[in-house]
Amino acid sequence: MTSTQHRAKQFQAIKGVRDILPPDTVLWNRVEQTAHEVFSTFGFGEIRLPIFEPTDLFARAVGGETDIVSKEMYTMPDQETAHIYALQRSLVEWDIKSGDFQAAESFQQLAVSLLVFIMRAQQENLVELEEAGLEAVNDLTSAAKELQVLISGRSGSAHAAIWNQVAGLVERIRLASGGLVVGDDLSLRPEATASVCRAYIEHGMQTLPGNVKLYYMGPMFRRERPQKGRYRQFYQIGAEVLGPSDAPGIDAEVIEMLLAFFERLKLKGAVLHINSIGDKNCRPAYVERLRAELQKVREQLGADSQRRIETNPLRVLDSKLEHEQGIIEKLPRIADHLCVECRAHYDEVKRQLVLRGITYQEDWRLVRGLDYYMRTTFEITAPGLGSQNAVCGGGRYDGLVELLGGPATTKGIGFAIGTDRLVLSLQESGAGEVSGGPARSAGGFDVYLAWFGAAAQTAAIGLARRLRDAGFVVELPAVEMKFGKSLGLADRLKARHAVILGEDELAAGVVAVKRLADGTQQKLAEQDLFSYLRAVRNG
Ligand code: ATP
Ligand code: MG
């Protein structure tokens, strides 16, 4: 009989989620480092945000009707209050038969348990109840007390006459428990503008002088259909300007910063598309007009667009369907329906772009998928990305801070770059090569330090430390190897040099340096080794 061998289960990353490995991470770091450098020269400071937030924040900011919130968010109940939520559900769903005093008594005890857990959670500062919540808790408490008094010691001989009273109290408890919101529903962030605005309000940043300029970078999460350039965990680098001014010069400078960043990275073929989508004064009338026109051509549109006539007619303009293009081209354009203020703002944004030598393409169909945008919207496309060719989206969102409970005077504008797509485009165009020597870019080594004998190991450990302190990339074998095997490994690791340290070298106070590309070898004292390696590094 052979023993059955169970292979341990192998794991794979979740669908739509991926590992980013060396040497790609070298390019990612360069991209992020460049963002730090360029953005800081424009006076932006970095903000680090939580990866999860109350679901309500996104529902309110991004919009409950958007695809992002309605079907793409990763949402979960807060673990710390999940037990309280479970008790609430039990009370709400417990179906008590008429005259079942025993069940009513257990129900009462469950209500008391719920109150105890809520109290404990409050003491531990896990929950903070608002006025409505406190009222519900008070009601729950008094109903539970009354119910206890009513049924204590009576379950056996109780009179049918008091059952109505019991049932009434059970119902009161049920209602109070069902309406009580304890703790938060949490979601992984699908974007970060909502969080930046939340933080701006939470930390009273409106009292800071001038406009507040912040940038962030990190992962975002959306449950979308994975494809090239579209992942479920993807990365964004974004920036926001929040404060009292909505001067068009701010819009233009934000775009200028973005283009300076792309230029520093040597991104080729980036195209800036801009549009104005009006504000709450002029957009509603335009949307109605658009809806009316869409109704007339309804039958010629696809199912998605037909649905959007009701839910969000602007999004029809986004359609990529071949057969809808001719129809869309004939629809009314927002540019012809902007109010005086929006028109003036848009004209000035364009003038400010010209002042900065920035070329743009006006795209009247550029609308954004998030509810909070108004006036200026923009997008940057780059080559090499197939149909997911937008590397950056942005725009103005003057009402958002107020919508989240902040000062009504706060205006805002920002953008988010899709880092995955940016990296992809850089790689496709050949601008993804990383300077700074092949050792650093390829994860290769300047020096493979081969040592032979215990005394040589001690010397090698010291030499490796001094080389690394000087910035050289060093591989130091952890165990002693035969000469041929060790040098063979140096070759396979594509190290530039093998530095050989054996008893002879040790005795002579030198090392043997072998250039692996051509096999040339020389003996050098440590000082000369450093000069030699520096000369090679500086090319
Ligand atoms: P798209 O038109 O590609 O769906 P979007 O309008 O949903 O983009 P935003 O929410 O404005 O995009 O996000 C800004 C940028 O983030 C996009 O331009 C894109 O580069 C990137 N991005 C958005 N969703 C994803 C994703 N699922 N995977 C990778 N990058 C993404
Ligand atoms: Mg999208």
Side-chain angles (χ1 to χ4, degrees):
M1 217 175 76
T2 55
S3 67
T4 32
Q5 292 209 339
H6 289 286
R7 272 265 208 108
K9 174 181 171 212
Q10 289 189 15
F11 293 96
Q12 283 177 333
I14 300 165
K15 184 178 172 201
V17 165
R18 68 205 179 115
D19 303 304
I20 300 164
L21 306 172
D24 286 358
T25 38
V26 177
L27 178 56
W28 277 76
N29 280 325
R30 195 186 82 189
V31 165
E32 290 174 355
Q33 187 53 36
T34 305
H36 289 300
E37 286 167 16
V38 173
F39 295 178
S40 64
T41 62
F42 282 77
F44 282 68
E46 186 187 7
I47 182 168
R48 298 202 180 194
L49 298 158
I51 278 175
F52 55 100
E53 296 268 10
T55 303
D56 288 349
L57 174 66
F58 302 117
R60 181 114 55 95
V62 180
E65 298 295 307
T66 59
D67 283 356
I68 293 177
V69 169
S70 64
K71 50 182 200 235
E72 295 173 0
M73 281 209 299
Y74 289 93
T75 298
M76 64 216 128
D78 189 349
Q79 280 301 318
E80 285 171 331
T81 48
H83 60 296
I84 293 179
Y85 182 76
L87 282 173
Q88 285 178 272
R89 296 308 314 160
S90 306
L91 287 171
V92 169
E93 278 158 32
W94 195 338
D95 188 19
I96 299 176
K97 301 268 170 318
S98 179
D100 189 344
F101 279 88
Q102 220 158 4
E105 199 170 356
S106 303
F107 182 88
Q108 192 271 346
Q109 282 159 5
L110 197 63
V112 172
S113 306
L114 172 64
L115 287 163
V116 170
F117 279 117
I118 291 175
M119 218 174 345
R120 200 179 291 167
Q122 279 177 305
Q123 279 163 3
E124 289 169 14
N125 288 325
L126 296 180
V127 300
E128 201 179 319
L129 292 175
E130 289 177 5
E131 207 172 312
L134 289 172
E135 251 169 56
V137 167
N138 285 340
D139 199 34
L140 202 62
T141 310
S142 65
K145 267 193 197 132
E146 284 176 48
L147 186 56
Q148 202 220 350
V149 171
L150 195 62
I151 59 184
S152 62
R154 269 200 250 203
S155 49
S157 60
H159 210 262
I162 66 160
W163 179 255
N164 281 346
Q165 273 173 279
V166 169
L169 287 167
V170 164
E171 198 48 34
R172 239 174 86 191
I173 290 172
R174 192 173 280 154
L175 282 175
S177 168
L180 185 59
V181 181
V182 181
D184 279 321
D185 210 36
L186 307 176
S187 288
L188 297 182
R189 61 182 188 191
E191 57 101 59
T193 301
S195 301
V196 173
C197 292
R198 192 236 345 109
Y200 175 88
I201 299 165
E202 189 170 334
H203 302 288
M205 291 191 220
Q206 70 271 14
T207 60
L208 297 172
N211 280 322
V212 175
K213 304 193 223 175
L214 297 167
Y215 74 94
Y216 60 83
M217 50 185 77
M220 307 293 156
F221 305 86
R222 296 182 195 174
R223 193 185 273 110
E224 301 191 83
R225 195 168 67 78
Q227 50 196 296
K228 183 185 179 190
R230 194 180 291 291
Y231 312 101
R232 291 181 167 189
Q233 174 173 336
F234 61 100
Y235 296 78
Q236 287 186 337
I237 298 174
E240 319 284 352
V241 180
L242 293 161
S245 172
D246 63 354
I250 297 174
D251 305 39
E253 196 182 68
V254 161
I255 292 172
E256 182 186 357
M257 177 169 91
L258 193 50
L259 295 174
F261 170 58
F262 287 156
E263 199 163 304
R264 184 82 69 90
L265 289 172
K266 302 197 166 51
L267 179 72
K268 293 185 199 85
V271 178
L272 168 66
H273 306 260
I274 63 167
N275 191 21
S276 173
I277 55 171
D279 65 6
K280 58 181 185 300
N281 296 319
C282 52
R283 191 169 45 196
Y286 168 72
V287 169
E288 277 323 305
R289 195 179 201 114
L290 185 63
R291 184 175 274 141
E293 289 305 311
L294 285 168
Q295 291 290 12
K296 292 183 195 160
V297 293
R298 178 179 205 100
E299 295 313 314
Q300 301 162 49
L301 297 171
D304 277 344
S305 292
Q306 288 200 4
R307 193 164 33 81
R308 288 183 172 140
I309 298 178
E310 272 78 43
T311 58
N312 195 349
L314 280 178
R315 288 301 302 276
V316 176
L317 306 181
D318 236 0
S319 161
K320 307 266 186 314
L321 284 185
E322 197 63 48
H323 84 273
E324 292 184 344
Q325 301 310 308
I327 305 166
I328 293 171
E329 283 303 313
K330 292 195 209 91
L331 291 168
R333 306 185 169 200
I334 182 121
D336 304 326
H337 297 88
L338 293 177
C339 59
V340 181
E341 293 79 13
C342 285
R343 156 121 337 264
H345 193 273
Y346 187 37
D347 287 343
E348 183 59 14
V349 169
K350 289 186 278 187
R351 200 182 73 83
Q352 291 281 340
L353 288 173
V354 172
L355 281 183
R356 289 167 171 79
I358 295 170
T359 45
Y360 55 82
Q361 280 184 17
E362 283 187 80
D363 179 357
W364 72 277
R365 289 173 56 176
L366 180 65
V367 294
R368 307 217 41 82
L370 287 64
D371 275 2
Y372 51 63
Y373 284 111
M374 59 171 290
R375 289 196 174 166
T376 314
T377 57
F378 55 93
E379 194 166 270
I380 293 179
T381 54
L385 296 170
S387 54
Q388 267 62 251
N389 67 348
V391 282
C392 174
R396 184 162 274 292
Y397 48 83
D398 291 343
L400 183 58
V401 167
E402 183 184 10
L403 187 71
L404 297 176
T409 48
T410 305
K411 317 281 200 247
I413 182 165
F415 62 77
I417 299 162
T419 318
D420 308 75
R421 293 186 198 172
L422 174 57
V423 166
L424 216 70
S425 184
L426 288 170
Q427 287 171 330
E428 297 276 324
S429 73
E433 251 127 67
V434 182
S435 58
R440 257 154 291 262
S441 72
F445 297 98
D446 295 311
V447 169
Y448 177 94
L449 187 39
W451 54 271
F452 306 97
Q457 186 183 20
T458 312
I461 289 171
L463 178 57
R465 175 166 309 160
R466 291 188 291 280
L467 285 166
R468 286 168 177 155
D469 281 348
F472 296 108
V473 184
V474 178
E475 173 71 357
L476 179 69
V479 295
E480 186 164 3
M481 281 185 273
K482 292 240 160 59
F483 188 85
K485 204 173 163 205
S486 199
L487 277 260
L489 181 58
D491 264 329
R492 279 188 289 131
L493 288 175
K494 295 194 169 59
R496 281 185 155 190
H497 305 95
V499 169
I500 299 154
L501 195 52
E503 275 161 28
D504 294 351
E505 287 81 10
L506 210 54
V510 294
V511 292
V513 186
K514 183 175 178 187
R515 194 162 68 196
L516 292 174
D518 57 10
T520 53
Q521 190 163 327
Q522 52 185 325
K523 295 213 166 184
L524 295 175
E526 179 166 330
Q527 219 180 352
D528 300 330
L529 171 70
F530 274 76
S531 320
Y532 166 76
L533 289 174
R534 277 201 193 96
V536 171
R537 180 163 69 185
N538 299 333

